[in-house]
Amino acid sequence: MADNEDPKKGKKSRGTDKQVCGYPISIFFIVVNEFCERFSYYGMRAVLVLYFKYFLRWDDDMATSIYHTFVALCYLTPILGAIVADSWLGKFKTIVYLSIVYAIGQVAMAVSAIHDITDSDRDGTPDNITLHVVLSMVGLFLIALGTGGIKPCVAAFGGDQFNDDQESQRRTFFSVFYLCINGGSLLSTIITPILRAQQCGIYSQQNCYPLAFGVPAALMLVALVVFIVGSGMYYKAEPQGNIMMDVCKCIGFAIKNRFRHRSDQYPKREHWMDWAEEKYDKLLIAQIKMVLKVLFLYIPLPMFWTLFDQKGSRWTLQATNLDGNFGLLVIQPDQMQTVNPILILTLVPIMDSLIYPLIKKCGLNFTPLKRMTVGMLLAATAFVCAAVVQIQIDNTLPVFPSASQSQLKLLNMGSKPVTVKLPNNDQMELLDAQFSDNFFTFEAEQISVSISQSGGPEMTSSISLTKGKRQTLLIPSNISEEWVMTEDLTAKPEEGYNAVRFVNGMTTAVNVSIPGEDVELIEPFHYSNYSLIKYGKATFTIRSGSRSCEYSREFGFGSSYNFFIPNIGPSCQDDITFAEDIKPNSVHMALQIPQYFFITAGEVMFSVTGLEFSYSQAPSNMKSVLQAGWLLTVAVGNFIVLIVAELAKLPKQWAEYVLFASLLVAVCIIFSIMAYFYTYIDPTEIEAQFKKKIDEDDEDDRSQIEKSEIEMVKKDSIKCHDEDDAAKQTKM
């Protein structure tokens, strides 16, 4: 027996004779390849939207738009991959070639995230951001082409490795195969955000996006090498043609033929696909009609994916404004996506073994289309939950000045209380070494400020404010000296960091050491730049000449502080005062769990049931057509995100969540009406009837041919008999 022979041509096995526990050894290479590839894809995708926002410096809308464009491409290219594999290269070569493209894309993404490439001034920020954008866009395009192109090939290629008598092993393989998909997704979504949160760099330490993209790139290279190593053991089927091409040609011919015969002189036909009967087989036409019925139901489905895929974009961005402290664990914003695969592994068996049987026992006819409708409603509920969480976040955010406003805070750096008069505000007393409680908002660019110390003259000065900015007025101990203005933050610090700044109220210069860096020397009655501090306890060492002290504080996520140093002594911890300009995130990340629960429950009822329904309603040779149509709904759903996000331009994020939920409810109503009028069919029975009819027609044709042959034989016999008689008479 030769290797790689097809059993349908009379051979006994596929691939090599080597088996382990009854399984072809070749499938182990395929399983490892799939695990590594899924780890690579989901690991890269987990941190992608934060890379757009914090590394490429795009705003939330731009980051969301590019993210969903990428996801849409990932679900469009499988159609191309299936056509190439079935009609031209075959599955093996398609997987190898596109995996190489895939790996190059992942490497390009990792290189694009190295800020030191263009950071000539070594400040931690790329100087030529265009180069990084181009590299990342090329990388994402190659990744979309690669991951989408191999998506329809790998599972089918694994199934090809089994003999026809290994049905139970094939089923087990597919179970393990999809377990690898979920396992790779779960692990990568946990690991890559941890890698991203590390600090790395040649000249300056920044969040380690190169490592977060580099590990998935390495895993993709491993996947490629492992798959190629098993090359000699695979059964490699020759391309047999793609049914999608036949379907498209048949539909195209029917439309063209109908257009040619559009005048009233031609009789109407029962279905517009019947206009293809002149060229195509009636069975194929009947099969396409069944598929078109299901594809018609697909029309409203993209709206579900519009909401579902935002868990990787909008919901991740929402998590950046939440408190991720879970006690023993600190969850990164992009790690919240792990809730989805965890809940999938939990909810699928619960639904199949408990919920659905319980509903059936209650006498309810919970059909697949009804399940899908409920799944849509659950997804809409998830976005209502997201809107509620967003409202809670908005209520904790400070009120920043608008473009026509300015805000001012006061700091008394002296050792005596001062009295301050501000326009349109009551006179206030500011204690020594203290900040004012709040920012004061002004519409004017120039305001007059009057300050007096107890028993001293009043000093009045006109100060300039910057529109759209927050500032702090540093009041010196001698109010007749220069008044210094600082510029404060007007947005929360990025990535959950805490921004801290020190103000020196001493007559000598001060140096402050922050964990990981030294703040520049702070001149008397002046201030430092902002430094970013991670969540947790931080200890600062403050020095001035021979004197030093330590100051410690616990930090949350996303806060901003101004610390005032009046002196350095043994009571440093008590002497230093501070102003909490921006409060830390106080809404807990656990509040996102309900929305993840509802969206995952909706996915189980919508996606799993939808594929099951589609396959049950389509002929066996049309499964790939429905798979292509299903993936197309995912791609269209992601494009809808772009359209709505760009057109709506809602000022509040919670309003956008409510808008998406409302759109899905409206689409759900339309889908439920379509489902009500849908008639379930049995494709196998319909195909059997057609084949029986074709067989009967063939039998009639054979009978006619046999009768014709018998008549011809009779005529020949009579003719021969007459010729014999004539010969005898001649002889006589």
Side-chain angles (χ1 to χ4, degrees), residues 32 50 65 86 134 158 169 252 268 280 296 387 463 471 505 515 527 585 588 599 644 655 682 696 703 719:
V32 173
L50 297 186
S65 297
D86 292 341
V134 170
Q169 288 94 331
K268 293 184 178 180
Y280 291 91
F296 178 71
I463 62 173
Q471 294 169 284
Y527 57 93
N585 301 343
H588 203 273
I599 200 75
V644 175
D682 185 352
E696 290 175 352
S703 299
K719 183 178 180 181

Side-chain angles (χ1 to χ4, degrees), residues 459-470:
M459 293 289 298
T460 301
S461 179
S462 177
I463 62 173
S464 298
L465 301 178
T466 305
K467 292 289 187 181
K469 297 293 183 180
R470 280 182 157 189

Side-chain angles (χ1 to χ4, degrees), residues 433-435 501-503 506 510 512 540-542 549-553 562-569 571-579:
Q434 294 296 321
F435 292 85
R501 181 170 63 188
F502 289 87
V503 180
M506 299 170 56
V510 169
V512 180
F540 307 96
T541 303
I542 304 169
C549 69
E550 289 189 345
Y551 178 80
S552 299
R553 182 173 180 82
N562 273 312
F563 292 101
F564 176 62
I565 307 171
N567 57 68
I568 296 177
S571 58
C572 182
Q573 189 71 33
D574 298 325
D575 291 341
I576 292 178
T577 58
F578 66 90

Side-chain angles (χ1 to χ4, degrees), residues 80-261:
L80 177 64
I83 294 173
V84 170
D86 292 341
S87 305
W88 181 29
L89 292 178
K91 297 184 186 72
F92 175 77
K93 288 183 178 178
T94 301
I95 294 170
V96 171
Y97 294 160
L98 290 180
S99 292
I100 293 173
V101 172
Y102 192 167
I104 293 172
Q106 288 282 30
V107 171
M109 280 300 297
V111 172
S112 76
I114 302 175
H115 65 273
D116 291 304
I117 293 176
T118 61
D119 186 15
S120 56
D121 56 4
R122 301 183 181 183
D123 64 347
T125 304
D127 298 328
N128 184 7
I129 198 67
T130 304
L131 175 64
H132 296 271
V133 171
V134 170
L135 274 174
S136 61
M137 293 303 101
V138 170
L140 288 176
F141 176 77
L142 295 178
I143 291 170
L145 187 62
T147 188
I150 68 175
K151 190 186 291 288
C153 301
V154 180
F157 186 71
D160 287 345
Q161 307 307 308
F162 293 89
N163 298 327
D164 292 339
D165 60 351
Q166 292 181 302
E167 189 61 35
S168 62
Q169 288 94 331
R170 184 185 282 112
R171 283 198 300 269
T172 305
F173 161 73
F174 282 119
S175 298
V176 174
F177 184 85
Y178 290 112
L179 182 63
C180 286
I181 293 176
N182 286 297
S185 166
L186 179 60
L187 285 176
S188 63
T189 325
I190 293 173
I191 293 172
T192 51
I194 295 174
L195 299 177
R196 174 195 60 78
Q198 305 305 307
Q199 299 289 304
C200 65
I202 301 173
Y203 304 117
S204 59
Q205 298 292 303
Q206 300 293 328
N207 272 3
C208 206
Y209 288 102
L211 185 60
F213 289 137
V215 170
L219 264 291
M220 190 58 226
L221 291 171
V222 170
L224 176 60
V225 171
V226 168
F227 187 75
I228 292 175
V229 166
S231 174
M233 306 177 191
Y234 299 138
Y235 162 71
K236 303 164 188 173
E238 292 295 323
Q240 301 294 324
N242 191 280
I243 189 66
M244 284 189 290
M245 299 300 292
D246 296 334
V247 171
C248 293
K249 289 177 181 178
C250 184
I251 293 174
F253 179 80
I255 295 172
K256 185 167 64 175
N257 199 30
R258 176 69 184 90
F259 183 76
R260 286 176 183 169
H261 302 84

